[in-house]
Amino acid sequence: MYFKLSSQEVKLTYFICFTLLISCKDIPNRQSHKLPLGNIKSFARASDDKYISWKEHIIDDTALSGGVISGSDGLIMADLDLDGFEDIISVHESDTKYDDIPKGHIRIAFGSVNPDKWDLVTLAEGNEAGAAEDVAVGDINGDGYLDIVAACELAHLIYFENPKVNIRSAYWNRIIPKITQNRGSFIRVFTADLNKDKSIEVITANKGNQRGKSKGTDPKPISYFKISGNPLVDASWQEHKLINVQVPINSQTIDIDNDGDIDIIAGSRGENRIILMENISNDSIIFLSHDIKISNKKPHTISGFNMDFMDLNKDGLLDIILTENDTHLIWLEQPSDWENSWTSHHIGTTNPDQIVGFIGADINNDGYKDFLTGGYSRGTRDTDGNVKINQPLGRIAWFENPKDFTKSWIRHDISRRKRGMFDKFIAKDMDNDGDIDFVSTRGNSYPYDGVFWLEQIRSDKAIESFTKARPADSEEMPLPDK
């Protein structure tokens, strides 16, 4: 039997078929929350219309170290031996719980032309690296080579002098300045020439004790150390306290006002605030303190443990990116006058997964800064345990800049494992293929703690969002139910 359809009926038939086709294509995505996140296809797109996914590469871990590194935290990249390739200095608390035993590791991965070939060296371990938390570099002795300073939660700063010759095998002379000893918990460390006298200062936050109880504690200092003379001599180290706050958690250096000198953004976890320390130095080092007032801020938690700085709205002023309530990423719009409030803008959330490490970079090459974030799992640190999908787990995700801030940022999830703490990210094109990759540390995951890099993969077809480096690792989990 033959039926002749009218033009209207033909259009309706095409519409129904097209709708059914789209619905069928969407079915896997609608069910994808039940699948392990890393196994779900990534539909994120770059500016060249290729799909974006990610591949993990191990740089350093327990197996490669020949020892027991765990609790991996801060890292920094710099060319220590002046061979043209950046090296990685990383710190590892080397524990699976807060036990007040001063042990730890400070490691160097010397780079090469091959991003998967590293010469691994232990710079310090045991008591002198007691719960090493953060690390910085600077030519502190003025000899043209970068030296290293580490902040240890148990409980001092330690300085390492670059030997210049055979630095991969030579012993680095070091000192734990007496003025920093038995101080509780140095949590952050930075280096900068604060008064442009061509001498490097060391800027630190000391939260008082490793557990860092937030309420009812005595104020502790955010300080800089002036080093006059040989850094390996105790008397050369002089401390200058900038401000005392409850549980200092950060003392990040940045020229926030673009006036050519280095300011400091301080964070207090105990007081739920961040403070702008304006550099007004001439010959002597002087800072002027400004509380950062936040408009439309509810009684939420903002400590500034990690921060990033960039001009997101392109008004010529640097804005501050930080976390709120642990699970939300926000940016604070800098006002033209610091007497006014900084306006808070929401970027996105990974709730219930806590955001700890993050960094801004143009991931999709569209000319706008996106943000990569890493989670902080809250279960046991040396076994996966019986954690559930709605508990805080180790998620990695990135937020795509909408270009128009009246629209929402788009979250692209990469991986979500039972265990993972991603404390620090560095954006760098590791394989020189024209797109941004990331170097990071991973803790809370023994025996999988250490240093890795995350390669951005571009493909013509959508593939799984994440390719892990190890055949066995912490279990990949689905997204939370809500």
Side-chain angles (χ1 to χ4, degrees), residues 277-424:
M277 309 295 295
E278 180 189 4
N279 191 338
I280 56 173
S281 305
N282 287 312
D283 293 331
S284 59
I285 297 174
I286 303 173
F287 282 86
L288 182 62
S289 175
H290 304 267
D291 261 331
I292 291 181
K293 298 173 288 186
I294 303 173
S295 67
N296 63 328
K297 177 183 178 296
K298 301 174 184 177
H300 291 171
T301 300
I302 296 176
S303 67
F305 172 66
N306 277 321
M307 291 180 278
D308 202 359
F309 308 91
M310 56 191 60
D311 181 8
L312 280 178
N313 57 353
K314 300 187 177 182
D315 64 352
L317 303 174
L318 285 179
D319 308 305
I320 302 176
I321 300 87
L322 70 168
T323 61
E324 179 182 65
N325 278 6
D326 293 333
T327 59
H328 292 71
L329 192 67
I330 65 171
W331 65 280
L332 303 181
E333 180 182 350
Q334 183 177 166
S336 56
D337 185 339
W338 290 339
E339 292 302 312
N340 298 328
S341 295
W342 297 56
T343 302
S344 172
H345 302 272
H346 189 254
I347 292 174
T349 181
T350 58
N351 190 52
D353 302 324
Q354 177 179 339
I355 298 171
V356 58
F358 58 87
I359 194 167
D362 184 3
I363 292 174
N364 55 3
N365 292 112
D366 67 352
Y368 292 82
K369 297 293 186 181
D370 313 297
F371 287 95
L372 185 84
T373 66
Y376 190 145
S377 60
R378 285 299 187 178
T380 56
R381 299 181 177 189
D382 52 359
T383 61
D384 275 0
N386 190 29
V387 296
K388 308 298 183 184
I389 65 171
N390 290 327
Q391 292 177 309
L393 305 182
R395 192 193 311 190
I396 303 176
W398 68 279
F399 291 90
E400 181 181 348
N401 193 319
K403 304 176 187 176
D404 177 355
F405 290 135
T406 64
K407 299 178 180 178
S408 297
W409 294 66
I410 303 167
R411 191 187 74 218
H412 302 285
D413 293 300
I414 297 171
S415 174
R416 188 173 191 248
R417 287 176 275 194
K418 285 187 174 181
R419 289 182 292 142
M421 178 189 70
F422 306 96
D423 195 277
K424 178 73 176 288

Side-chain angles (χ1 to χ4, degrees), residues 36-40 53-59 61 116 384 394 396 414-419 422 442 448 452-455 457 463-477:
L37 177 55
N39 300 124
I40 297 173
S53 58
W54 304 88
K55 181 180 180 180
E56 180 185 41
H57 299 254
I58 304 301
I59 295 172
D61 65 0
D116 287 322
D384 275 0
I396 303 176
I414 297 171
S415 174
R416 188 173 191 248
R417 287 176 275 194
K418 285 187 174 181
R419 289 182 292 142
F422 306 96
R442 177 182 171 193
Y448 311 121
F452 69 99
W453 70 279
L454 201 59
E455 178 187 2
I457 303 292
I463 60 176
E464 289 185 347
S465 64
F466 179 71
T467 301
K468 64 183 181 181
R470 302 178 183 89
D473 205 322
S474 180
E475 182 181 348
E476 188 78 33
M477 295 288 284

Side-chain angles (χ1 to χ4, degrees), residues 159-225:
Y159 163 79
F160 301 89
E161 183 178 76
N162 191 323
K164 297 186 287 187
V165 179
N166 299 323
I167 74 170
R168 300 187 185 202
S169 57
Y171 181 79
W172 290 52
N173 291 323
R174 62 203 62 190
I175 186 175
I176 299 173
K178 287 183 180 178
I179 199 171
T180 75
Q181 293 177 20
N182 303 312
R183 292 286 298 273
S185 182
F186 283 98
I187 188 74
R188 302 305 300 272
V189 61
F190 303 89
T191 59
D193 180 359
L194 296 177
N195 60 344
K196 302 181 184 178
D197 65 352
K198 299 182 180 180
S199 175
I200 299 294
E201 284 76 45
V202 175
I203 302 96
T204 70
N206 185 304
K207 68 177 181 177
N209 66 78
Q210 191 179 35
R211 290 172 179 82
K213 187 174 72 171
S214 295
K215 301 297 181 183
T217 57
D218 293 333
K220 299 295 179 182
I222 291 172
S223 307
Y224 73 88
F225 290 85

Side-chain angles (χ1 to χ4, degrees), residues 432-475:
N432 293 310
D433 64 352
D435 55 42
I436 286 293
D437 311 301
F438 295 93
V439 181
S440 181
T441 52
R442 177 182 171 193
N444 286 13
S445 306
Y446 180 80
Y448 311 121
D449 289 356
V451 185
F452 69 99
W453 70 279
L454 201 59
E455 178 187 2
Q456 183 178 163
I457 303 292
R458 300 278 178 92
S459 59
D460 293 326
K461 294 182 179 180
I463 60 176
E464 289 185 347
S465 64
F466 179 71
T467 301
K468 64 183 181 181
R470 302 178 183 89
D473 205 322
S474 180
E475 182 181 348

Side-chain angles (χ1 to χ4, degrees), residues 114-283:
N114 184 347
D116 287 322
K117 184 179 179 181
W118 302 86
D119 189 3
L120 301 172
V121 174
T122 295
L123 185 64
E125 60 186 331
N127 288 353
E128 66 178 6
E133 174 72 26
D134 197 19
V135 66
V137 297
D139 183 8
I140 292 175
N141 62 357
D143 65 355
Y145 284 77
L146 293 174
D147 309 303
I148 295 172
V149 183
C152 299
E153 287 194 277
L154 295 170
H156 53 255
L157 298 178
I158 182 168
Y159 163 79
F160 301 89
E161 183 178 76
N162 191 323
K164 297 186 287 187
V165 179
N166 299 323
I167 74 170
R168 300 187 185 202
S169 57
Y171 181 79
W172 290 52
N173 291 323
R174 62 203 62 190
I175 186 175
I176 299 173
K178 287 183 180 178
I179 199 171
T180 75
Q181 293 177 20
N182 303 312
R183 292 286 298 273
S185 182
F186 283 98
I187 188 74
R188 302 305 300 272
V189 61
F190 303 89
T191 59
D193 180 359
L194 296 177
N195 60 344
K196 302 181 184 178
D197 65 352
K198 299 182 180 180
S199 175
I200 299 294
E201 284 76 45
V202 175
I203 302 96
T204 70
N206 185 304
K207 68 177 181 177
N209 66 78
Q210 191 179 35
R211 290 172 179 82
K213 187 174 72 171
S214 295
K215 301 297 181 183
T217 57
D218 293 333
K220 299 295 179 182
I222 291 172
S223 307
Y224 73 88
F225 290 85
K226 185 74 177 175
I227 303 159
S228 303
N230 185 348
L232 293 171
V233 175
D234 260 317
S236 298
W237 290 71
Q238 301 170 347
E239 182 177 9
H240 300 265
K241 296 181 181 179
L242 293 171
I243 190 171
N244 288 310
V245 296
Q246 283 191 345
V247 194
I249 207 70
N250 204 348
S251 53
Q252 207 152 335
T253 51
I254 182 73
D255 182 5
I256 194 68
D257 50 6
N258 291 317
D259 66 351
D261 55 30
I262 297 298
D263 310 298
I264 297 170
I265 308 297
S268 166
R269 192 171 74 196
E271 299 168 25
N272 188 25
R273 67 175 176 141
I274 53 176
I275 307 106
L276 193 163
M277 309 295 295
E278 180 189 4
N279 191 338
I280 56 173
S281 305
N282 287 312
D283 293 331

